Amino acid sequence: MADAALAPDTPRPGRVRAWAGSALRERLPLWVQLRCGLEPRTLAALAVILVVGVLLAGHHFWSGRPGTVRAPENVGAEAVIPEAPSETSPSPSPSARVVIDVSGKVRRPGVLRLPAGSRVADALRAAGGAKPGADLTGLNRARVLMDGEQVLVGGPAPPAAGVGAGAANGAGAAAGPVSLNAATPEQLDTLPGVGPVLAQHIIDYRGRHGGFRSVDELREVNGIGERRFADLQSLVRP
């Protein structure tokens, strides 16, 4: 039909274009043919618009496709969790000191300054150790030292911390206050109402509690009641 409508003298290139336009018009929907008026330029513009629309739709589809997401590396095994600071009771200050007088049968007697919490055994080591033949039977080497006390090694207690001459002669009366922390069982036995059994109870108590901090703690010793404590209160000291 298209070839019949052409003039016989139409050049061949013109015939090809006319045939292509006629074939394109026959394939377009009827409403498109009516709106475009079947003009070749209009058909060409419509074809360009369709091509551009297809390209834009393809680009939009390609850019909106779901991409591959790489999972993060497992770093749980390498992560270091900081440890919470432990709540411990504050330790004594390293600068805290006690002043002790070590005398008797030791290699270097004298006044020593030891860290707080030291024991009688620490005082002996600081004084060079006991001399050969020194009797350490009545010395509690596990007792905690207190500031200002005297440690007597292998000898009788000094007058300020022991018994007087009357007690040394067996009179049974104490001439001065007896140290509850330094007295031997024999020295405690000289106190009124204190025998060997009660003297041992006093020594056991000071060993368990690290010594006497006041004379009032004597009430807690097994075998000492209020009446006996009243008799001993003025005769003893920590």
Side-chain angles (χ1 to χ4, degrees):
M1 290 178 62
D3 292 341
L6 297 174
D9 57 349
T10 302
R12 182 175 180 80
R15 292 184 178 183
V16 173
R17 286 194 297 272
W19 178 82
S22 177
L24 180 60
R25 285 194 298 273
E26 292 178 358
R27 287 167 174 75
L28 290 175
L30 180 61
W31 66 272
V32 175
Q33 296 180 21
L34 294 175
R35 290 182 67 90
C36 295
L38 302 180
E39 291 293 333
R41 293 182 179 180
T42 304
L43 293 176
L46 180 61
V48 172
I49 292 173
L50 291 175
V51 172
V52 172
V54 171
L55 293 177
L56 291 176
H59 179 269
H60 177 73
F61 172 78
W62 182 262
S63 63
R65 78 187 193 284
T68 303
V69 178
R70 183 179 180 183
E73 297 181 359
N74 184 14
V75 297
E78 300 178 1
V80 178
I81 301 176
E83 297 182 357
S86 59
E87 298 182 359
T88 57
S89 58
S91 57
S93 173
S95 60
R97 297 274 177 173
V98 291
V99 181
I100 307 298
D101 181 13
V102 182
S103 59
K105 296 182 179 180
V106 291
R107 300 182 187 277
R108 294 190 300 271
V111 177
L112 303 177
R113 288 173 174 81
L114 301 176
S118 299
R119 300 181 182 271
V120 174
D122 299 325
L124 290 179
R125 282 193 295 269
K131 292 181 179 180
D135 184 11
L136 304 179
T137 304
L139 193 63
N140 183 7
R141 284 168 283 183
R143 180 172 56 82
V144 178
L145 296 170
M146 292 188 298
D147 185 55
E149 76 167 275
Q150 183 185 44
V151 178
L152 180 62
V153 180
V163 295
N169 295 331
V178 176
S179 173
L180 296 174
N181 290 323
T184 62
E186 292 77 12
Q187 293 168 348
L188 293 172
D189 193 8
T190 62
L191 295 171
V194 178
V197 176
L198 188 53
Q200 188 60 45
H201 287 172
I202 295 174
I203 292 177
D204 293 341
Y205 179 89
R206 77 186 185 191
R208 290 192 304 268
H209 297 83
F212 290 86
R213 289 168 176 77
S214 68
V215 176
D216 291 338
E217 293 184 11
L218 195 60
R219 290 191 179 98
E220 302 176 11
V221 177
N222 184 21
I224 296 182
E226 290 298 328
R227 182 176 178 180
R228 185 165 295 174
F229 174 76
D231 295 338
L232 297 174
Q233 186 176 8
S234 60
L235 303 177
V236 295
R237 66 177 179 85

